Amino acid sequence: MFIYLLKRVLSVLPVLFLVSVFVFLMLRLTPGDPAAIIAGDNATPETLAAIRDAMGLNEPLLTQYASWITGILGGDFGNSLISGVPVLDLVAQRVGPSISLALMTIIIAIFVAIPMGVIAAWRHRSWIDYLVMSFSVLGFSVPVFLVGYVLLLIFSVQLGWLPPQGFKPIADGLGPFLERAILPALTLASIYIALIARMTRAAMLDVLNEDYIRTARAKGVGEQRLLFVHALKNAAVPIVTIVGAGFALLISGVVVTETIFNIPGIGRLTVDAVLARDYPVIQALILLTATLYVLINLAIDMSYSLFDPRIRY
Amino acid sequence: MKLRDNDFSAAPTVLEIRDLVVGIAGRAGLPPVLKGVSFDIRRGETVCLVGESGSGKSVTSLSTMGLLPKDALAVISGQIRLNGQDLLALSPGQMKQRRAKDLAMIFQEPMTALNPVMKVGAQITEVLDLHTSLGAAEKRARVIDIMKQVHLPDVERIFESYPHQLSGGQRQRIMIAMALILEPSLLIADEPTTALDVTTQKQILSLIAELQARHGTAVLFITHDMGVVAEIADRVCVMRHGEILETGTIRQVLEQPRHDYAQALLSAVPSLVPRVSRPDAVAAPVLVAKGLGKTYRSGSLLGRKSEVRASYDVGFDLKPGRTLGIVGESGSGKTTVARSIMRLIEPTEGQILLDGDDIAHLSSSQMKPRRRKLQVVFQDPYRSLNPRWTIAQSLTEGPLNYGVPYAEAIAEAKRLLGVISLPEDALRRYPHQFSGGQRQRIAIARAVMLRPDVLVADEAVSALDVSVQAQVLDLLDELQRQTGIAIVFITHDLRVAAQICDDVLVMQRGAVVEQGPAGRVLHDPQHEYTRALIAAAPGRFWDFAARKPLVA
Amino acid sequence: MAIDRSAADKPFLLRLLSGISPRSTGLGPFIAAFMLLAVIGLTVFSPWIATHDPLAMDPLMRLKPPSEAHLLGTDGYGRDLFSRMILGGRISLMIGVCAAVVALGLGILIGLLAGYFRAADAVIMRAMDALMAMPSILIAIALVALNGPSIGSVVMAITIPEIPRVVRLVRSVVLTVREEPYVEAATALGSSTAKILFRHLLPNTMAPMIVQGTYIIASAILTEALLSFLGAGISTEIPTWGNIMAEGRQFFRITPGIILWPGLLLTICVLSINLIGDAARDGLDPRMKKREA
């Protein structure tokens, strides 16, 4: 068991290493001089040379990578080119709103999507199945920002029920927080619900076809118990997996949603950094989110044995 | 052992099926799947529904349980009366109440029929939760009691086990315990032993008979295996294409079958009496195995190393024109031996001499020229041919690899189609247009296109119905007589081995426990395991083709 | 009871054709196909359908509501929204198709290698895991930001994050199919590795790849819009659905139509591609069919 855990934790190291290589090369191997990109259009040759020297661009690639990664491992992601603030501090300032938004989204999504998927599978090929499936395909097909704008248009512009934009932390009270967070969370949840409902339905359809479901029916088990006791636990592994894989979707959703609703989170930081070509910030954000993604999926992997006794470590 | 001979005329009728017609749901135009099936089962009686695939025997049992797949099949007319009450008139809720209490069912696949994420004790207890209002302690006592009745060892531990921690036989015992805990008057058993090894099958069959005698249960037993029928049936219904062609006591049906189909079915059952052995050839052996073994090793930097000896110390020699049978139950290592000989895997020890050259460790390029001498036929006819290729493409694949001109290859393909009794236009068709038996014959033709010296047949007839099985065995026999090919025949079925093999090699847990001429091994087995295997062969006291008991 | 596997055995084109008929799938996919054809027709023939020059500005006609002259009104520079929308669709669709072709081509090649050669497998799959771990939108934004806002760099930015998914899919098909008896029989018949890879294994990946291809087109169109919307897309001089909507952001409260109309057309387009993909998948997946039988 311990050995397995250790092996599993160690197995993410090569992935993280490769991520760091990609992120590093992304900046170095793109056409054009990174120093010129960083210095901006109006830099003098002297500034360029100074930047090139400061970045160690005259060193061999391997040396450059080594010094870069050593810095990062020591917690030094460099300073923002725009504000000069250490990147990690920037991220720390902005992480709160994004996390509360993401958690709220995941809770909404799970409580809405799983029952949707279960019922759709149970009533396979009925109107309710078609309804769930239509919603889910639509969720994949509408750009997230369009959902956001339509919600804004209806609930704050037309009906005036909710404040249009901005963010208040939970510390300021649940009411003000929810008032501002509900539209972004719903926007973000739309695609997540589509994803989870679709996977739940597919996994349940597979399970409902299994022999042991027939056995349960032969015992006289009722439909509700059949679905939520016998079938759902068997379908749990793919559902939990998609919740983890969907985290990537959540990230891109956060970027867009925060832009629309003007929330000062990680997403806004990303967009601002891209528009300002603030490379240390971009690199750090990609590295950090990728690490988070890998760790979340590691945790999900480990959780499989809770649902399925056949998976033992 | 002999045929059952009980008189049930005084016993009350438990199940009465009258003119049951089942059709495809929502398609009134199509012919029904069951075309008016009628039969009775009395208290304590076992009725066997026997037939080949597609005969409608499982549809009959699922209709009785009310478990027909909702959108696919529906009862059109007829009656199913259990203890006098028509089940078809009940609402779904009422039917749910009856299940497990009055009628219960066990299924073919014990591996998949239990919920993998629930402890088996809880799965049996669930039946009591649903249908009784007993207290927790009382329920547990009842469950422990039924688990003892089905002869499970170490009941307390198994109660807390998950299905994957149990063997196939144990799981099927759990299924039986679950089915019988409320002492239903009818037990439906749908091929309950087909997925089990013969020795386990024998135990399960006698368990069902024992519990039936104790509780007076009426049993509807569905099987395709005439051997099993001979062991357990009081009465037999022979089915084909959704109709019962013949009904009678077991003795009537086995001794004097009236319907042509019943007669053909019985005649196709291979006899356990070994065929007359052929004179040993004088030629040099074409294939020799010496000390052959395969050990799977796994392990990494951190994990402990683990070793599985799939097979070890296997040795034999095979002369042209002869057939060697490798017999064993699942996990005996027989397929590992076949795959080693074929060099689909590399053995870890020993030699394989093909025409005197050791091929055990050759690289794939060194193997290539030798592969044409060594061909294979697999078990599953549905997966043996590339579904996207025409029969012509499949048949000519081998010759074209070895530079045979296309015209020559296609001419040979046409000739072989004649041998396997398929029309020439089969060349342009795709595998899905053929039945399982036809596909298996095509796979055999593909294997002999290269005129190999050795043919390895890995359970090549196990997936086929018994009448089709007979045709394929005949085809192999004829090819052998025409070409003098040597055959390695891997099988779990002693009847098949007795019919086709000159020599037999019996394997258990990776090792050869006995080998020798088929007549000697099957008639006068020396090893305990071989004896157990033969003793477990169902219906071994009866000669089906001759319609009389076997005189040993 | 023998399992009827006939559906699984048919060549996939036959399966596709027999799987998609109004009786088995309902009318959905046919309506979707009709909608998609309409969108394609509208965009491909946009130079002839457009009522105005999509690039011609008119300071006097800024942000006008729909009228007889301007079907859907005008944008912040007084350009005709309808004409811009159908021309923009043309570029968005083209980007989607290019991304799908490139992602499938590279993905199939890498996937075949990973699935068949154990030595290559570990390295390739770790690299794919690493690519999957980086949020696709972040890589895309970064790549466009670095390489400049050309169509080529946008296509590349959309394609790279899609490749790991294709590789995984192809690899899983290869790993399953290489265990099939007919592939082992081919080895026994002396077929070369190349022949097994390209004649036996590759055709099995085609059906899932067609389905995957439709999903990639759909997701590429969405990603392009997202990139432009965030200001990291194709240069704003070229009208694409994303660019038109991005420009509409600042006028959202006055004329929401600038976002809503292109958004609606994009949604219809992506929705119908997804629906067709789903129908193709259901038609090709024999297990889905078996459930009905």
Side-chain angles (χ1 to χ4, degrees), chain C residues 108-122:
Chain C
I108 289 175
L109 202 67
I110 302 173
L112 278 179
L113 294 179
Y116 201 76
F117 299 103
R118 298 221 163 153
D121 190 35

Side-chain angles (χ1 to χ4, degrees), chain A residues 146-164:
Chain A
L146 197 63
V147 178
Y149 275 120
V150 170
L151 287 178
L152 255 180
L153 195 65
I154 297 174
F155 290 101
S156 47
V157 178
Q158 300 281 339
L159 298 172
W161 290 355
L162 297 166

Side-chain angles (χ1 to χ4, degrees), chain A residues 23-76:
Chain A
V23 170
F24 174 77
L25 290 181
M26 208 185 269
L27 191 55
R28 306 297 143 117
L29 291 189
T30 41
D33 184 351
I37 301 177
I38 283 173
D41 295 337
N42 306 320
T44 60
E46 292 76 41
T47 7
L48 256 183
I51 289 175
R52 197 175 286 133
D53 208 39
M55 289 178 69
L57 289 178
N58 302 322
E59 310 269 334
L61 215 55
L62 214 61
T63 324
Q64 287 182 43
Y65 174 76
S67 64
W68 178 72
I69 197 79
T70 335
I72 283 173
L73 290 176
D76 174 18

Side-chain angles (χ1 to χ4, degrees), chain B residues 99-117:
Chain B
R99 288 189 201 125
K101 213 165 165 186
D102 295 335
L103 74 170
M105 184 162 181
I106 52 179
F107 300 96
Q108 173 170 356
E109 273 292 341
M111 298 320 225
T112 55
L114 289 169
N115 189 332
V117 304

Side-chain angles (χ1 to χ4, degrees), chain B residues 444-481:
Chain B
I444 291 171
R446 179 182 60 186
V448 299
M449 280 292 287
L450 286 166
R451 301 180 180 273
D453 298 335
V454 179
L455 180 68
V456 176
D458 187 358
E459 298 275 16
V461 297
S462 305
L464 306 175
D465 280 328
V466 53
S467 53
V468 182
Q469 201 173 42
Q471 295 166 13
V472 172
L473 289 176
D474 285 346
L475 171 65
L476 284 174
D477 201 48
E478 188 183 324
L479 281 171
Q480 190 168 45
R481 266 189 284 113

Side-chain angles (χ1 to χ4, degrees), chain C residues 40 60 62 68 99-100 103 110-111 120 126 134 139 145 170 186 197 207 218 229 235 264 273 277:
Chain C
I40 291 176
L60 295 177
R62 294 180 65 226
E68 225 162 274
I110 302 173
R126 287 301 79 71
M134 298 186 275
I139 318 185
V170 173
L197 267 179
F229 185 80
S235 130
L264 183 67
I273 295 175

